[in-house]
Amino acid sequence: DAKTTQPPSMDCAEGRAANLPCNHSTISGNEYVYWYRQIHSQGPQYIIHGLKNNETNEMASLIITEDRKSSTLILPHATLRDTAVYYCIVIKGNDYKLSFGAGTTVTVRA
Amino acid sequence: DSGVTQTPKHLITATGQRVTLRCSPRSGDLSVYWYQQSLDQGLQFLIQYYNGEERAKGNILERFSAQQFPDLHSELNLSSLELGDSALYFCASSPRLAGKHTDTQYFGPGTRLTVL
């Protein structure tokens, strides 16, 4: 699976949009971009995934660049409950074994 | 609440011992996955079961084993425990057959294992 690179940490003001970048320059054509998050010591929680089109659900939006080498997760109105570690991973189309690295620690401040 | 339950929440034991971690998947989910999360290695896939049968193995040690029962709950058995086995162990479940990557995996709250 392609490797991803994320900033180790970022702060965000409550009520503002949080934009989380992820680089996956070695992504191949059959690999999907997935985002999960993990609130302190809880189980990981699925957020969103995409292949090449931008995606939106009730939690977030995912913007994937045209060359698919990077993506951005957008939390439109961050709340204190969004404070968590966010993981960007790429998974082959026929795979399901998740593996997380360090992720981005997002701290939402009042 | 994901609907996946895990027991116990915390487990403290000594080296050389054996423990059993239990997982109940979401109602109707047939696939169960076990993961280990440690500070130095992040989240690692261990093993997957579908409808009672083992479907895939990841980085699971020979000292570890698992099974899925007819009622679809699963157990992860860890034996001859070492200090390095201290970690969070998560169970996840999804509705369908292995390989359907678009099936969201729903994670339980985890079991924190401490080996002294």
Side-chain angles (χ1 to χ4, degrees):
Chain A
D1 291 337
K3 183 177 170 57
T4 63
T5 304
Q6 300 176 250
S9 64
M10 61 183 296
D11 285 358
C12 176
E14 189 179 21
R16 304 295 294 270
N19 297 300
L20 284 62
C22 179
N23 286 320
H24 30 79
S25 58
T26 60
I27 194 170
S28 58
N30 67 343
E31 287 183 318
Y32 289 70
V33 179
Y34 272 73
W35 284 83
Y36 276 78
R37 74 179 183 184
Q38 190 170 17
I39 297 169
H40 181 63
S41 291
Q42 294 181 21
Q45 178 188 24
Y46 166 81
I47 301 173
I48 199 167
H49 76 278
L51 183 62
K52 48 186 173 183
N53 296 324
N54 298 337
E55 303 287 344
T56 295
N57 63 20
E58 65 278 2
M59 288 182 69
S61 295
L62 174 61
I63 309 298
I64 302 174
T65 58
E66 195 168 336
D67 64 7
R68 303 212 318 128
K69 292 185 177 183
S70 65
S71 60
T72 301
L73 178 75
I74 301 173
L75 307 177
H77 305 286
T79 71
L80 298 179
R81 288 180 297 178
D82 292 321
T83 293
V85 181
Y86 288 76
Y87 299 99
C88 167
I89 58 175
V90 293
I91 306 175
K92 283 191 174 60
N94 61 350
D95 202 359
Y96 46 85
K97 301 185 262 304
L98 304 180
S99 176
F100 297 164
T104 297
T105 299
V106 173
T107 304
V108 181
R109 303 192 185 279
Chain B
D1 183 358
S2 67
V4 178
T5 60
Q6 289 187 248
T7 56
K9 193 170 175 61
H10 300 279
L11 197 49
I12 300 175
T13 189
T15 54
Q17 295 297 304
R18 172 189 169 94
V19 297
T20 297
L21 313 183
R22 182 187 168 102
C23 168
S24 292
R26 293 186 324 149
S27 177
D29 282 2
L30 299 177
S31 278
V32 169
Y33 313 77
W34 284 98
Y35 291 88
Q36 179 192 58
Q37 187 175 39
S38 60
L39 281 175
D40 56 345
Q41 300 225 344
L43 188 84
Q44 299 291 323
F45 168 78
L46 294 178
I47 197 164
Q48 185 219 3
Y49 281 81
Y50 172 75
N51 204 20
E53 293 190 8
E54 181 185 306
R55 297 306 298 251
K57 265 186 173 180
N59 301 321
I60 187 166
L61 300 172
E62 284 191 10
R63 300 183 285 108
F64 296 0
S65 64
Q67 57 185 133
Q68 186 180 27
F69 295 87
D71 67 353
L72 301 178
H73 91 271
S74 178
E75 292 181 354
L76 179 67
N77 300 296
L78 315 176
S79 62
S80 302
L81 284 168
E82 302 176 358
L83 296 178
D85 298 327
S86 294
L88 271 167
Y89 291 84
F90 290 106
C91 164
S93 73
S94 67
R96 291 175 294 187
L97 186 60
K100 293 288 187 180
H101 73 89
T102 52
D103 275 353
T104 299
Q105 292 184 36
Y106 295 89
F107 282 78
T111 293
R112 181 175 293 279
L113 174 66
T114 303
V115 182
L116 301 176

